[in-house]
Amino acid sequence: MTIQEAQQSVDQWIKTIGIRYFSELTNMAVLTEEVGELARVMARKYGDQSFKEGEKENLGEEMADIFWVLCCLANQTGVDLTEEFKKSMEKKTKRDATRHKENKKLR
């Protein structure tokens, strides 16, 4: 599935099962909540915290939830994530062409 297909799938789901999109501000809050859930799992899996009883190592699920809400926001605001991701990759490639290779901290 491409990013564009993911955006279309989310849009179709929202319009047929979800009734309508939440407001952009609500979805921004939901995105923040989902990032917090990913942070919780990361802190337990890779950090110093331990999992509580009943919690699971669901990194992929939390990342997918973030992507879902990001697709919602992109759809609502007319952003083509495929195009924007391409631009972001080009920007980073140009900006950081030698930066990381020259960073002694990364060796």
Side-chain angles (χ1 to χ4, degrees), residues 70-105:
L70 188 61
C71 285
C72 287
L73 285 167
N75 289 345
Q76 290 176 279
T77 57
V79 171
D80 180 339
L81 286 174
T82 301
E83 287 306 310
E84 294 305 322
F85 186 76
K86 286 178 187 176
K87 288 187 221 175
S88 181
M89 288 297 294
E90 290 170 9
K91 174 185 73 177
K92 287 169 179 37
T93 300
K94 182 177 180 181
R95 180 189 68 201
D96 301 330
T98 60
R99 183 175 140 217
H100 299 300
K101 291 177 185 174
E102 295 170 357
N103 183 347
K104 293 178 183 175
K105 294 178 182 179

Side-chain angles (χ1 to χ4, degrees):
M1 176 181 288
T2 65
I3 297 171
Q4 183 180 36
E5 289 169 339
Q7 278 190 250
Q8 291 169 347
S9 292
V10 167
D11 189 61
Q12 185 63 30
W13 187 95
I14 293 288
K15 291 176 178 174
T16 58
I17 297 171
I19 311 284
R20 66 171 179 81
Y21 284 93
F22 295 142
S23 71
E24 295 85 349
L25 186 55
T26 297
N27 274 334
M28 187 62 227
V30 171
L31 179 62
T32 303
E33 178 184 359
E34 295 296 350
V35 169
E37 291 175 9
L38 175 61
R40 183 189 66 244
V41 174
M42 294 290 291
R44 283 156 174 66
K45 183 172 175 123
Y46 300 105
D48 299 323
Q49 294 185 338
S50 59
F51 283 94
K52 297 175 185 173
E53 189 175 326
E55 286 184 329
K56 52 187 175 170
E57 295 183 32
N58 55 345
L59 284 174
E61 181 181 330
E62 298 302 347
M63 289 179 188
D65 289 348
I66 290 166
F67 184 62
W68 170 273
V69 181
L70 188 61
C71 285
C72 287
L73 285 167
N75 289 345
Q76 290 176 279
T77 57
V79 171
D80 180 339
L81 286 174
T82 301
E83 287 306 310
E84 294 305 322
F85 186 76
K86 286 178 187 176
K87 288 187 221 175
S88 181
M89 288 297 294
E90 290 170 9
K91 174 185 73 177
K92 287 169 179 37
T93 300
K94 182 177 180 181
R95 180 189 68 201
D96 301 330
T98 60
R99 183 175 140 217
H100 299 300
K101 291 177 185 174
E102 295 170 357
N103 183 347
K104 293 178 183 175
K105 294 178 182 179
L106 295 178
R107 292 187 188 159

